[in-house]
Amino acid sequence: MATDTSVAAPATWCPSSDARAPEAVVLGVRSGADGRVAYLADPVPASEVLGAVPEGIEPTRVLRFASHCVTGCANRRGDDCTLVERVLALPAPADARAVPRCHLRATCQWWQQTGVDACHRCPAVTTATFQEDELATLVADPSTTPEQLAAWIAASD
């Protein structure tokens, strides 16, 4: 009798996802004047906190969620995430030595795809984009290329 000793590859996780996925967890809380993410030490199921967000406030405005990467995602190209490619087109933070503590890193798609460079920019990523933030809207748009982002940034300087 043969025994199957293969182990399923762990799912990669998206650090900028929808809170409604069954496995979704809160990655962090958006705080401070710049809206950067303060990461939680341990994951909290999204289903446990969504009810605490006041009515009329989009949960992604105050929280960052993580869930499994899915093949049907608009940001997916083969095994790669194009969102992280656009995020990497953004300028690196001034203190590129500081990497936030993150409970997601071991299974994070962005980490596996690009390493520490994504971690430096991750706290500034917002899941919810608003019309007044043209750069965030461009980054979130799957049709935007990193080259287009670089041109927009250069023109804004």
Short mmCIF file of all heavy atoms in Angstrom, two decimals, residues 81-148:
data_model
loop_
_atom_site.label_atom_id
_atom_site.label_comp_id
_atom_site.label_asym_id
_atom_site.label_seq_id
_atom_site.Cartn_x
_atom_site.Cartn_y
_atom_site.Cartn_z
N CYS A 81 2.42 38.85 -8.83
CA CYS A 81 1.49 39.92 -8.50
C CYS A 81 1.99 41.20 -9.16
O CYS A 81 3.10 41.65 -8.87
CB CYS A 81 1.41 40.10 -6.98
SG CYS A 81 0.39 41.50 -6.49
N THR A 82 1.18 41.78 -10.02
CA THR A 82 1.60 43.01 -10.68
C THR A 82 1.43 44.22 -9.77
O THR A 82 2.07 45.25 -9.99
CB THR A 82 0.83 43.24 -11.99
OG1 THR A 82 -0.58 43.36 -11.70
CG2 THR A 82 1.06 42.10 -12.98
N LEU A 83 0.59 44.10 -8.73
CA LEU A 83 0.43 45.22 -7.79
C LEU A 83 1.75 45.52 -7.11
O LEU A 83 2.16 46.67 -6.99
CB LEU A 83 -0.65 44.93 -6.76
CG LEU A 83 -0.85 46.00 -5.68
CD1 LEU A 83 -1.14 47.36 -6.29
CD2 LEU A 83 -1.95 45.58 -4.72
N VAL A 84 2.47 44.50 -6.67
CA VAL A 84 3.75 44.75 -6.00
C VAL A 84 4.76 45.35 -6.97
O VAL A 84 5.59 46.17 -6.58
CB VAL A 84 4.31 43.50 -5.29
CG1 VAL A 84 4.85 42.48 -6.27
CG2 VAL A 84 5.39 43.91 -4.30
N GLU A 85 4.65 45.03 -8.24
CA GLU A 85 5.54 45.65 -9.23
C GLU A 85 5.28 47.15 -9.30
O GLU A 85 6.20 47.95 -9.40
CB GLU A 85 5.36 45.00 -10.60
CG GLU A 85 5.82 43.55 -10.64
CD GLU A 85 5.44 42.82 -11.92
OE1 GLU A 85 4.82 43.44 -12.82
OE2 GLU A 85 5.76 41.62 -12.02
N ARG A 86 3.99 47.54 -9.24
CA ARG A 86 3.65 48.96 -9.26
C ARG A 86 4.06 49.63 -7.94
O ARG A 86 4.53 50.76 -7.94
CB ARG A 86 2.16 49.14 -9.55
CG ARG A 86 1.79 48.70 -10.96
CD ARG A 86 0.36 49.05 -11.34
NE ARG A 86 -0.66 48.52 -10.46
CZ ARG A 86 -1.13 47.27 -10.51
NH1 ARG A 86 -0.65 46.39 -11.39
NH2 ARG A 86 -2.09 46.89 -9.68
N VAL A 87 3.88 48.93 -6.84
CA VAL A 87 4.28 49.47 -5.54
C VAL A 87 5.78 49.74 -5.53
O VAL A 87 6.25 50.75 -5.01
CB VAL A 87 3.87 48.51 -4.40
CG1 VAL A 87 4.54 48.86 -3.09
CG2 VAL A 87 2.35 48.49 -4.25
N LEU A 88 6.57 48.86 -6.14
CA LEU A 88 8.02 49.04 -6.18
C LEU A 88 8.44 50.21 -7.06
O LEU A 88 9.57 50.68 -6.96
CB LEU A 88 8.71 47.76 -6.64
CG LEU A 88 8.68 46.62 -5.62
CD1 LEU A 88 9.37 45.39 -6.18
CD2 LEU A 88 9.30 47.03 -4.30
N ALA A 89 7.55 50.70 -7.90
CA ALA A 89 7.86 51.88 -8.72
C ALA A 89 7.81 53.15 -7.87
O ALA A 89 8.34 54.18 -8.28
CB ALA A 89 6.88 51.99 -9.89
N LEU A 90 7.21 53.07 -6.69
CA LEU A 90 7.16 54.22 -5.80
C LEU A 90 8.54 54.45 -5.17
O LEU A 90 9.31 53.51 -5.00
CB LEU A 90 6.13 53.98 -4.69
CG LEU A 90 4.69 53.78 -5.14
CD1 LEU A 90 3.83 53.40 -3.95
CD2 LEU A 90 4.18 55.03 -5.81
N PRO A 91 8.84 55.69 -4.82
CA PRO A 91 10.14 55.95 -4.18
C PRO A 91 10.28 55.17 -2.87
O PRO A 91 9.30 55.00 -2.14
CB PRO A 91 10.10 57.46 -3.90
CG PRO A 91 9.06 57.99 -4.83
CD PRO A 91 8.05 56.89 -5.04
N ALA A 92 11.48 54.72 -2.59
CA ALA A 92 11.75 54.02 -1.34
C ALA A 92 11.66 55.02 -0.19
O ALA A 92 11.95 56.20 -0.36
CB ALA A 92 13.13 53.38 -1.39
N PRO A 93 11.28 54.55 0.99
CA PRO A 93 11.24 55.46 2.14
C PRO A 93 12.64 55.95 2.50
O PRO A 93 13.64 55.31 2.15
CB PRO A 93 10.64 54.60 3.25
CG PRO A 93 10.88 53.19 2.83
CD PRO A 93 10.92 53.19 1.34
N ALA A 94 12.69 57.06 3.20
CA ALA A 94 13.98 57.65 3.58
C ALA A 94 14.80 56.69 4.42
O ALA A 94 16.01 56.59 4.25
CB ALA A 94 13.75 58.96 4.32
N ASP A 95 14.17 55.98 5.35
CA ASP A 95 14.89 55.03 6.20
C ASP A 95 14.65 53.63 5.66
O ASP A 95 13.77 52.92 6.10
CB ASP A 95 14.41 55.13 7.65
CG ASP A 95 15.20 54.20 8.58
OD1 ASP A 95 16.19 53.58 8.12
OD2 ASP A 95 14.82 54.10 9.75
N ALA A 96 15.46 53.24 4.68
CA ALA A 96 15.29 51.94 4.03
C ALA A 96 15.83 50.80 4.87
O ALA A 96 15.75 49.65 4.47
CB ALA A 96 15.95 51.95 2.66
N ARG A 97 16.39 51.09 6.04
CA ARG A 97 16.87 50.02 6.91
C ARG A 97 15.72 49.42 7.71
O ARG A 97 15.76 48.25 8.05
CB ARG A 97 17.92 50.54 7.88
CG ARG A 97 19.17 51.04 7.20
CD ARG A 97 20.04 51.75 8.19
NE ARG A 97 19.24 52.84 8.77
CZ ARG A 97 19.48 53.43 9.93
NH1 ARG A 97 20.51 53.09 10.62
NH2 ARG A 97 18.72 54.40 10.37
N ALA A 98 14.73 50.22 8.04
CA ALA A 98 13.65 49.77 8.90
C ALA A 98 12.67 48.89 8.11
O ALA A 98 12.11 49.33 7.12
CB ALA A 98 12.92 50.96 9.49
N VAL A 99 12.51 47.68 8.55
CA VAL A 99 11.54 46.77 7.96
C VAL A 99 10.54 46.45 9.05
O VAL A 99 10.91 46.01 10.14
CB VAL A 99 12.21 45.47 7.44
CG1 VAL A 99 11.18 44.51 6.91
CG2 VAL A 99 13.24 45.79 6.38
N PRO A 100 9.26 46.68 8.79
CA PRO A 100 8.27 46.45 9.84
C PRO A 100 8.17 44.96 10.21
O PRO A 100 8.39 44.09 9.38
CB PRO A 100 6.97 46.93 9.21
CG PRO A 100 7.20 46.86 7.74
CD PRO A 100 8.66 47.11 7.54
N ARG A 101 7.86 44.72 11.48
CA ARG A 101 7.57 43.35 11.91
C ARG A 101 6.25 42.98 11.28
O ARG A 101 5.32 43.78 11.28
CB ARG A 101 7.49 43.28 13.42
CG ARG A 101 8.82 43.51 14.09
CD ARG A 101 8.65 43.36 15.57
NE ARG A 101 8.13 42.03 15.84
CZ ARG A 101 8.59 41.22 16.75
NH1 ARG A 101 9.57 41.59 17.51
NH2 ARG A 101 8.05 40.03 16.93
N CYS A 102 6.17 41.78 10.76
CA CYS A 102 4.95 41.38 10.04
C CYS A 102 4.74 39.88 10.20
O CYS A 102 5.62 39.09 9.84
CB CYS A 102 5.09 41.76 8.57
SG CYS A 102 3.71 41.24 7.54
N HIS A 103 3.57 39.51 10.69
CA HIS A 103 3.27 38.09 10.88
C HIS A 103 3.01 37.37 9.56
O HIS A 103 2.98 36.16 9.50
CB HIS A 103 2.07 37.90 11.82
CG HIS A 103 0.81 38.53 11.34
ND1 HIS A 103 0.01 37.99 10.37
CD2 HIS A 103 0.21 39.69 11.71
CE1 HIS A 103 -1.03 38.77 10.17
NE2 HIS A 103 -0.93 39.81 10.96
N LEU A 104 2.86 38.11 8.49
CA LEU A 104 2.53 37.53 7.18
C LEU A 104 3.76 37.14 6.37
O LEU A 104 3.67 36.33 5.45
CB LEU A 104 1.71 38.57 6.40
CG LEU A 104 1.05 38.14 5.12
CD1 LEU A 104 -0.03 37.10 5.40
CD2 LEU A 104 0.45 39.35 4.43
N ARG A 105 4.92 37.66 6.69
CA ARG A 105 6.10 37.58 5.83
C ARG A 105 6.40 36.18 5.31
O ARG A 105 6.71 36.00 4.14
CB ARG A 105 7.32 38.15 6.55
CG ARG A 105 8.50 38.33 5.62
CD ARG A 105 9.58 39.22 6.19
NE ARG A 105 9.10 40.59 6.25
CZ ARG A 105 9.13 41.34 7.34
NH1 ARG A 105 9.65 40.88 8.46
NH2 ARG A 105 8.65 42.56 7.31
N ALA A 106 6.33 35.16 6.13
CA ALA A 106 6.72 33.81 5.71
C ALA A 106 5.88 33.29 4.53
O ALA A 106 6.36 32.49 3.73
CB ALA A 106 6.61 32.84 6.87
N THR A 107 4.65 33.77 4.40
CA THR A 107 3.79 33.32 3.31
C THR A 107 3.34 34.45 2.40
O THR A 107 2.47 34.26 1.55
CB THR A 107 2.53 32.61 3.88
OG1 THR A 107 1.87 33.50 4.77
CG2 THR A 107 2.91 31.32 4.60
N CYS A 108 3.94 35.61 2.54
CA CYS A 108 3.54 36.79 1.77
C CYS A 108 3.98 36.67 0.31
O CYS A 108 5.15 36.46 0.01
CB CYS A 108 4.16 38.04 2.40
SG CYS A 108 3.79 39.56 1.49
N GLN A 109 3.05 36.88 -0.59
CA GLN A 109 3.34 36.85 -2.02
C GLN A 109 4.36 37.93 -2.38
O GLN A 109 5.27 37.69 -3.15
CB GLN A 109 2.06 37.04 -2.84
CG GLN A 109 2.27 37.21 -4.33
CD GLN A 109 2.81 35.97 -5.00
OE1 GLN A 109 2.51 34.85 -4.60
NE2 GLN A 109 3.61 36.14 -6.04
N TRP A 110 4.20 39.12 -1.84
CA TRP A 110 5.10 40.23 -2.16
C TRP A 110 6.52 39.92 -1.70
O TRP A 110 7.48 40.19 -2.41
CB TRP A 110 4.62 41.52 -1.53
CG TRP A 110 3.34 42.05 -2.11
CD1 TRP A 110 2.51 41.45 -3.03
CD2 TRP A 110 2.73 43.30 -1.81
NE1 TRP A 110 1.45 42.25 -3.29
CE2 TRP A 110 1.56 43.38 -2.56
CE3 TRP A 110 3.08 44.34 -0.96
CZ2 TRP A 110 0.72 44.49 -2.49
CZ3 TRP A 110 2.25 45.44 -0.89
CH2 TRP A 110 1.08 45.51 -1.66
N TRP A 111 6.66 39.36 -0.49
CA TRP A 111 7.98 39.00 0.03
C TRP A 111 8.61 37.92 -0.84
O TRP A 111 9.77 38.01 -1.22
CB TRP A 111 7.85 38.52 1.48
CG TRP A 111 9.09 37.89 2.01
CD1 TRP A 111 9.35 36.55 2.10
CD2 TRP A 111 10.25 38.56 2.50
NE1 TRP A 111 10.60 36.35 2.63
CE2 TRP A 111 11.17 37.56 2.88
CE3 TRP A 111 10.60 39.89 2.65
CZ2 TRP A 111 12.42 37.86 3.42
CZ3 TRP A 111 11.85 40.19 3.18
CH2 TRP A 111 12.74 39.18 3.56
N GLN A 112 7.83 36.90 -1.18
CA GLN A 112 8.37 35.82 -1.99
C GLN A 112 8.76 36.29 -3.38
O GLN A 112 9.71 35.80 -3.97
CB GLN A 112 7.36 34.67 -2.07
CG GLN A 112 7.21 33.96 -0.74
CD GLN A 112 6.23 32.82 -0.78
OE1 GLN A 112 5.87 32.31 -1.84
NE2 GLN A 112 5.77 32.39 0.38
N GLN A 113 8.04 37.25 -3.89
CA GLN A 113 8.28 37.74 -5.25
C GLN A 113 9.42 38.76 -5.31
O GLN A 113 10.20 38.75 -6.26
CB GLN A 113 6.99 38.35 -5.80
CG GLN A 113 7.05 38.71 -7.27
CD GLN A 113 5.69 39.14 -7.78
OE1 GLN A 113 4.65 38.70 -7.31
NE2 GLN A 113 5.68 40.04 -8.75
N THR A 114 9.52 39.65 -4.33
CA THR A 114 10.48 40.75 -4.44
C THR A 114 11.38 40.93 -3.23
O THR A 114 12.28 41.77 -3.26
CB THR A 114 9.75 42.08 -4.69
OG1 THR A 114 8.96 42.40 -3.54
CG2 THR A 114 8.88 42.00 -5.92
N GLY A 115 11.12 40.22 -2.15
CA GLY A 115 11.96 40.34 -0.97
C GLY A 115 11.72 41.63 -0.21
O GLY A 115 10.64 42.21 -0.24
N VAL A 116 12.76 42.08 0.45
CA VAL A 116 12.67 43.18 1.40
C VAL A 116 12.22 44.50 0.76
O VAL A 116 11.65 45.36 1.45
CB VAL A 116 14.01 43.34 2.16
CG1 VAL A 116 15.08 43.94 1.26
CG2 VAL A 116 13.82 44.15 3.42
N ASP A 117 12.43 44.69 -0.52
CA ASP A 117 12.01 45.94 -1.16
C ASP A 117 10.52 46.20 -0.98
O ASP A 117 10.10 47.34 -0.76
CB ASP A 117 12.38 45.95 -2.64
CG ASP A 117 13.86 46.11 -2.88
OD1 ASP A 117 14.56 46.59 -1.97
OD2 ASP A 117 14.33 45.75 -3.96
N ALA A 118 9.72 45.15 -1.09
CA ALA A 118 8.28 45.32 -0.89
C ALA A 118 7.97 45.67 0.56
O ALA A 118 7.09 46.48 0.83
CB ALA A 118 7.54 44.05 -1.30
N CYS A 119 8.70 45.07 1.49
CA CYS A 119 8.46 45.34 2.92
C CYS A 119 8.69 46.81 3.26
O CYS A 119 7.99 47.36 4.12
CB CYS A 119 9.36 44.46 3.77
SG CYS A 119 9.02 42.70 3.61
N HIS A 120 9.65 47.43 2.62
CA HIS A 120 9.92 48.84 2.89
C HIS A 120 8.75 49.72 2.48
O HIS A 120 8.48 50.74 3.12
CB HIS A 120 11.17 49.31 2.14
CG HIS A 120 12.44 48.74 2.68
ND1 HIS A 120 12.85 48.90 3.98
CD2 HIS A 120 13.39 48.00 2.09
CE1 HIS A 120 14.00 48.29 4.16
NE2 HIS A 120 14.35 47.73 3.03
N ARG A 121 8.05 49.36 1.44
CA ARG A 121 6.97 50.20 0.92
C ARG A 121 5.59 49.79 1.43
O ARG A 121 4.65 50.55 1.37
CB ARG A 121 6.99 50.17 -0.60
CG ARG A 121 8.22 50.88 -1.18
CD ARG A 121 8.40 50.54 -2.64
NE ARG A 121 9.52 51.21 -3.24
CZ ARG A 121 10.76 50.74 -3.22
NH1 ARG A 121 11.05 49.61 -2.61
NH2 ARG A 121 11.74 51.40 -3.83
N CYS A 122 5.48 48.57 1.93
CA CYS A 122 4.19 48.01 2.33
C CYS A 122 3.41 48.89 3.32
O CYS A 122 2.21 49.04 3.16
CB CYS A 122 4.40 46.60 2.89
SG CYS A 122 2.88 45.67 3.15
N PRO A 123 4.03 49.49 4.34
CA PRO A 123 3.23 50.29 5.28
C PRO A 123 2.51 51.47 4.64
O PRO A 123 1.53 51.97 5.20
CB PRO A 123 4.28 50.79 6.29
CG PRO A 123 5.39 49.80 6.21
CD PRO A 123 5.42 49.37 4.75
N ALA A 124 2.96 51.94 3.50
CA ALA A 124 2.33 53.09 2.84
C ALA A 124 1.19 52.68 1.91
O ALA A 124 0.47 53.55 1.42
CB ALA A 124 3.38 53.88 2.07
N VAL A 125 1.03 51.38 1.67
CA VAL A 125 0.00 50.93 0.73
C VAL A 125 -1.37 51.00 1.38
O VAL A 125 -1.56 50.61 2.52
CB VAL A 125 0.31 49.48 0.27
CG1 VAL A 125 -0.83 48.91 -0.56
CG2 VAL A 125 1.61 49.44 -0.51
N THR A 126 -2.31 51.51 0.62
CA THR A 126 -3.69 51.57 1.07
C THR A 126 -4.55 50.70 0.15
O THR A 126 -4.34 50.70 -1.06
CB THR A 126 -4.21 53.01 1.09
OG1 THR A 126 -5.58 53.00 1.50
CG2 THR A 126 -4.11 53.70 -0.24
N THR A 127 -5.46 49.97 0.74
CA THR A 127 -6.35 49.13 -0.08
C THR A 127 -7.45 49.98 -0.69
O THR A 127 -7.85 49.77 -1.82
CB THR A 127 -6.96 48.00 0.79
OG1 THR A 127 -5.87 47.27 1.37
CG2 THR A 127 -7.77 47.05 -0.05
N ALA A 128 -7.92 50.96 0.06
CA ALA A 128 -8.95 51.87 -0.45
C ALA A 128 -8.27 53.06 -1.09
O ALA A 128 -7.40 53.68 -0.51
CB ALA A 128 -9.85 52.34 0.70
N THR A 129 -8.65 53.37 -2.31
CA THR A 129 -8.12 54.57 -2.96
C THR A 129 -9.25 55.57 -3.14
O THR A 129 -10.41 55.20 -3.30
CB THR A 129 -7.49 54.25 -4.33
OG1 THR A 129 -8.48 53.63 -5.15
CG2 THR A 129 -6.30 53.33 -4.18
N PHE A 130 -8.88 56.81 -3.11
CA PHE A 130 -9.87 57.87 -3.19
C PHE A 130 -9.48 58.80 -4.33
O PHE A 130 -8.31 58.98 -4.64
CB PHE A 130 -9.94 58.62 -1.86
CG PHE A 130 -10.23 57.67 -0.72
CD1 PHE A 130 -9.20 57.16 0.05
CD2 PHE A 130 -11.52 57.24 -0.48
CE1 PHE A 130 -9.45 56.25 1.06
CE2 PHE A 130 -11.78 56.33 0.52
CZ PHE A 130 -10.75 55.83 1.30
N GLN A 131 -10.46 59.39 -4.96
CA GLN A 131 -10.24 60.22 -6.14
C GLN A 131 -9.18 61.29 -5.93
O GLN A 131 -8.43 61.60 -6.83
CB GLN A 131 -11.55 60.87 -6.58
CG GLN A 131 -12.55 59.90 -7.17
CD GLN A 131 -12.07 59.27 -8.48
OE1 GLN A 131 -11.17 59.75 -9.14
NE2 GLN A 131 -12.69 58.16 -8.85
N GLU A 132 -9.09 61.85 -4.72
CA GLU A 132 -8.14 62.93 -4.51
C GLU A 132 -6.69 62.47 -4.46
O GLU A 132 -5.79 63.26 -4.48
CB GLU A 132 -8.49 63.73 -3.24
CG GLU A 132 -8.39 62.95 -1.95
CD GLU A 132 -9.67 62.21 -1.55
OE1 GLU A 132 -10.60 62.11 -2.34
OE2 GLU A 132 -9.71 61.73 -0.41
N ASP A 133 -6.44 61.16 -4.39
CA ASP A 133 -5.09 60.64 -4.34
C ASP A 133 -4.77 59.96 -5.68
O ASP A 133 -4.91 58.76 -5.84
CB ASP A 133 -4.92 59.66 -3.18
CG ASP A 133 -3.48 59.26 -2.95
OD1 ASP A 133 -2.63 59.50 -3.84
OD2 ASP A 133 -3.20 58.71 -1.88
N GLU A 134 -4.35 60.78 -6.64
CA GLU A 134 -4.12 60.28 -8.00
C GLU A 134 -3.04 59.21 -8.04
O GLU A 134 -3.18 58.21 -8.75
CB GLU A 134 -3.75 61.43 -8.94
CG GLU A 134 -3.66 60.99 -10.39
CD GLU A 134 -3.36 62.14 -11.34
OE1 GLU A 134 -3.36 63.30 -10.92
OE2 GLU A 134 -3.12 61.84 -12.51
N LEU A 135 -1.97 59.37 -7.28
CA LEU A 135 -0.89 58.38 -7.30
C LEU A 135 -1.37 57.04 -6.77
O LEU A 135 -1.13 56.00 -7.39
CB LEU A 135 0.32 58.86 -6.51
CG LEU A 135 1.52 57.90 -6.47
CD1 LEU A 135 2.00 57.55 -7.88
CD2 LEU A 135 2.64 58.48 -5.64
N ALA A 136 -2.09 57.03 -5.65
CA ALA A 136 -2.61 55.77 -5.10
C ALA A 136 -3.58 55.12 -6.08
O ALA A 136 -3.61 53.90 -6.22
CB ALA A 136 -3.28 56.01 -3.75
N THR A 137 -4.37 55.93 -6.75
CA THR A 137 -5.31 55.39 -7.73
C THR A 137 -4.56 54.75 -8.89
O THR A 137 -4.94 53.67 -9.36
CB THR A 137 -6.24 56.51 -8.25
OG1 THR A 137 -6.94 57.07 -7.12
CG2 THR A 137 -7.24 56.00 -9.26
N LEU A 138 -3.48 55.37 -9.35
CA LEU A 138 -2.67 54.79 -10.42
C LEU A 138 -2.02 53.48 -9.98
O LEU A 138 -2.01 52.50 -10.74
CB LEU A 138 -1.58 55.77 -10.87
CG LEU A 138 -2.03 56.95 -11.71
CD1 LEU A 138 -0.90 57.96 -11.85
CD2 LEU A 138 -2.52 56.48 -13.07
N VAL A 139 -1.49 53.44 -8.77
CA VAL A 139 -0.85 52.22 -8.26
C VAL A 139 -1.87 51.09 -8.18
O VAL A 139 -1.58 49.95 -8.53
CB VAL A 139 -0.19 52.46 -6.89
CG1 VAL A 139 0.25 51.15 -6.25
CG2 VAL A 139 0.99 53.41 -7.02
N ALA A 140 -3.08 51.38 -7.75
CA ALA A 140 -4.10 50.36 -7.59
C ALA A 140 -4.66 49.84 -8.91
O ALA A 140 -5.20 48.74 -8.97
CB ALA A 140 -5.25 50.90 -6.74
N ASP A 141 -4.53 50.60 -9.98
CA ASP A 141 -5.10 50.22 -11.27
C ASP A 141 -4.23 49.15 -11.95
O ASP A 141 -3.09 49.41 -12.30
CB ASP A 141 -5.17 51.47 -12.16
CG ASP A 141 -5.82 51.19 -13.51
OD1 ASP A 141 -6.03 50.02 -13.88
OD2 ASP A 141 -6.11 52.18 -14.21
N PRO A 142 -4.78 47.94 -12.15
CA PRO A 142 -4.00 46.87 -12.78
C PRO A 142 -3.48 47.20 -14.18
O PRO A 142 -2.52 46.60 -14.64
CB PRO A 142 -4.97 45.69 -12.84
CG PRO A 142 -5.96 45.97 -11.77
CD PRO A 142 -6.10 47.47 -11.73
N SER A 143 -4.07 48.18 -14.85
CA SER A 143 -3.61 48.51 -16.20
C SER A 143 -2.42 49.47 -16.20
O SER A 143 -1.79 49.69 -17.23
CB SER A 143 -4.75 49.10 -17.03
OG SER A 143 -5.11 50.38 -16.54
N THR A 144 -2.09 50.06 -15.03
CA THR A 144 -0.95 50.97 -14.94
C THR A 144 0.34 50.18 -14.93
O THR A 144 0.47 49.19 -14.21
CB THR A 144 -1.04 51.82 -13.65
OG1 THR A 144 -2.27 52.52 -13.63
CG2 THR A 144 0.10 52.82 -13.57
N THR A 145 1.31 50.61 -15.71
CA THR A 145 2.61 49.94 -15.74
C THR A 145 3.58 50.67 -14.80
O THR A 145 3.41 51.86 -14.51
CB THR A 145 3.22 49.95 -17.15
OG1 THR A 145 3.52 51.30 -17.52
CG2 THR A 145 2.28 49.32 -18.17
N PRO A 146 4.61 49.97 -14.33
CA PRO A 146 5.64 50.65 -13.51
C PRO A 146 6.27 51.83 -14.26
O PRO A 146 6.60 52.85 -13.65
CB PRO A 146 6.66 49.55 -13.24
CG PRO A 146 5.86 48.29 -13.26
CD PRO A 146 4.83 48.53 -14.36
N GLU A 147 6.39 51.73 -15.56
CA GLU A 147 6.96 52.82 -16.35
C GLU A 147 6.05 54.05 -16.32
O GLU A 147 6.52 55.18 -16.24
CB GLU A 147 7.21 52.37 -17.80
CG GLU A 147 8.27 51.28 -17.95
CD GLU A 147 7.77 49.88 -17.61
OE1 GLU A 147 6.54 49.65 -17.56
OE2 GLU A 147 8.62 49.01 -17.35
N GLN A 148 4.75 53.83 -16.39
CA GLN A 148 3.80 54.95 -16.31
C GLN A 148 3.88 55.62 -14.93
O GLN A 148 3.81 56.84 -14.83
CB GLN A 148 2.38 54.46 -16.58
CG GLN A 148 2.14 54.09 -18.03
CD GLN A 148 0.80 53.39 -18.22
OE1 GLN A 148 0.42 52.54 -17.42
NE2 GLN A 148 0.11 53.74 -19.29
#
